[in-house]
Amino acid sequence: MALTTPHAYRRPGFWRRLRTGNPTEAQLGLILLIPAALVLALVMFWPIAQVLWQSLHFERLNVPARGRPFIGFEHYQRMLWGSDMTWDARHLLGWRLLAFAGAAGLWWGAARGVLRRPTALIWTVIVVLVAGLWMGYHPGEAGRWNDARFWNAFSITLLITVASVAGSFLVGLPLALLANVESRWRWLVRIALLIPWAMPRVLVGVMFAWLFNYTNGVVNDLLGRAGIAGPLWLSRAEPAMWAANITIVWATSAFVGLILLAGLQSIDESLYEAAMVDGASRLQRFWAITLPLLRPSIAVALIFRTLTAIQTFDIPYAMTQGGPGRALETLGIYVSNTTNSLNLGYAAALAVALFVMSLAITVLYLRWIYADD
Amino acid sequence: MRVAVVVGTALLVINGTFPLVWMMLTSLKDENELIRVPITYWPEAITFQNYVQVFDQLPFARFMLNSAVVSISATVICVLVAALAGYALGRLNMPYRRTLLTGIVMTSMFPALVLLVPLYRMFLGMDVPLLSPLVAFLHDVGMTFMPTEVRTPNLLNTYWALIIPYVALSLPIATLILTSFFQLIPRDLESAALVDGCTRVEALFKVIAPVSAPGVVTAAIIIFVNSWNEFLLALTFNTAQTMRTVPVGITMYQGEFAFPWATISAAITVGVLPLVALILLFQQKIIAGLTAGGVKG
């Protein structure tokens, strides 16, 4: 109260600061973020909201007479448990409610601190699986209880994800270690790492389809020279899976290598010198210094790789269009095929499944990364 | 160890370049040589007939033009938007900026496949919220001089149908790269300008913009490559022959049963030329950008 000036200084208000071209940092920041927010809202968030909404509707563009009625979760039911279940739904409803109650109980317990969250998660998975099997749900098996094509696509996506992520790490780590060596040929190494990254994925698929060609492909020629009869790579299910995975690993291991290379370059050289003074062998140094310090880079590469692997579309599509049969029909290709057959409602539900999978994996990874901080 | 490194490096280089080199070699062979068994590694008689075929069978020059227009426009728009956002997130003292950055980067994890159907509907033309019902109502109550309905324009088979999603798809990674570049610029540089009487906006354009040019180039290259390579959306949105982009166009050479490998390989060689040129010119910048995106995570 001691100091009351007659004409108190008023800080210029929001609009005045804007008008005079001298906004505060926070104001300026918000203004500069507007274009990005608009773009993301228009092209990312709005479409995702639409897909969620669409997946609750029936819509087949080739059956325009039925319009676009709201059908609730029927698409998901068809996806996970099969479409011809409706006649039996009442019978199964009890079991389902029981399973749901069990899971709810577990999570209630977890919230009250009776059991730990990871334990609750594991038990939930067990309850869902047991209840599902009890009700006749067998993933990946042609049966009346499920959309076998979805589970086929699901397991293929899972297989490609696990195989190609592991593969790209097994190839990418040596690539990074080699690229980290000082030499006159470093520019060539850089180019060799960048070409697989920069090639359009579709064209990589086309290129490798030619390399894996049965009669005129390089792979079979080299195998033939080694005395091995090369398989019909792209017309048998199992070799096609191998071929697709090899192609994906080729296309993505370079990117993994680049990220790991950045991690390698940020490791302090003096650590190695200290270890050398202590008499650590090359392998020991690798295990004790390189791998632990590389963990953040490995985590980042792992996230990017897993998420792109779940969305695998271009390479199998270019190589065999999801064939032979449906041996390479990933979830991505299934979504695209369903869209092309004009069943937009079900395609949206499948897309949501894909979205939920990538979201779940992102969250898991983020928790893993931030667990140490 | 020395030998192992040399052999390993040689393998690395062969692994990285062989498929592309093989495509180039294939494109120089004639059709008969291609189907011969055993295969020849070096073309016996070099022919450029396949390259002529590429431009004869389909309007490949047009594909290149389309890809160039779409990719360059997407790059320019995306760099502008991302630079503004990156400046805000990297330099300005604003609340929740780490959260905002994480949020923006997280959107890059949305599968492009999910966007396919809703964007198709959007570009097909749709009702504008508020405006469309209003116009329909006014028309119903007798104001017949007005248009019957208001819809967004049909953007399918235009460049915009690809530019808009490409900007959005590359925005997260571009923002990440530019944010980390802006963070590297010393704060004193800007403070000095502010002391000298610049406003914040002036400081942005006169001081920060010139210094951040390398970061912008890096981001631009990565956006360009992403946009040049995109396949799914281009395949779905632009179905007219004259609006195809290069990756989609190349898949159009294959017939129902026949794979004209000679033509396809020539088309691939031409189609990736811009990318190879970019790699040769800017290899260090690209790596810096990719790893800036990677390490920050």
Side-chain angles (χ1 to χ4, degrees), chain A residues 82-288:
Chain A
S83 54
D84 50 356
M85 264 199 41
T86 32
W87 64 271
D88 222 2
R90 211 168 302 142
H91 166 66
L92 290 166
L93 190 65
W95 289 110
R96 251 190 239 168
L97 280 177
L98 208 62
F100 184 75
L106 282 170
W107 285 96
W108 183 76
R112 300 292 295 267
V114 181
L115 75 170
R116 285 157 39 117
R117 289 249 162 87
T119 325
L121 183 68
I122 292 166
W123 276 103
T124 310
V125 171
I126 292 173
V127 164
V128 168
L129 285 181
V130 170
L133 283 173
W134 187 259
M135 292 184 285
Y137 135 82
H138 302 285
E141 201 176 280
R144 46 186 279 265
W145 298 120
N146 52 57
D147 176 8
R149 210 173 153 188
F150 168 75
W151 288 107
N152 171 54
F154 181 81
S155 45
I156 283 169
T157 308
L158 212 61
L159 183 60
I160 286 186
T161 304
V162 173
S164 75
V165 170
S168 65
F169 266 86
L170 287 179
V171 179
L173 187 59
L175 288 187
L177 291 172
L178 283 170
N180 199 24
V181 178
E182 273 305 336
S183 79
R184 260 187 312 154
W185 303 102
R186 206 148 179 195
W187 60 276
L188 202 60
V189 171
R190 272 200 295 263
I191 291 172
L193 281 181
L194 280 175
I195 284 179
W197 167 76
M199 288 284 295
R201 289 291 143 82
V202 210
L203 301 190
V204 171
V206 174
M207 264 176 15
F208 274 74
W210 175 233
L211 293 184
F212 281 115
N213 190 297
Y214 178 57
T215 44
N216 306 102
V218 177
V219 177
N220 273 0
D221 184 68
L222 291 178
L223 284 178
R225 279 161 202 263
I228 306 165
L232 277 160
W233 284 104
L234 298 177
S235 17
R236 296 280 179 275
E238 204 180 314
M241 183 55 94
W242 278 99
N245 273 316
I246 291 171
T247 311
I248 296 170
V249 166
W250 182 82
T252 55
S253 59
F255 178 70
V256 172
L258 285 171
I259 289 186
L260 296 184
L261 176 63
L264 282 177
Q265 284 169 346
S266 69
I267 295 177
D268 195 353
E269 205 60 43
S270 61
L271 285 172
Y272 290 107
E273 284 156 19
M276 257 155 59
V277 170
D278 289 348
S281 73
R282 203 177 282 274
L283 206 63
Q284 279 173 326
R285 272 176 278 156
F286 179 74
W287 277 112

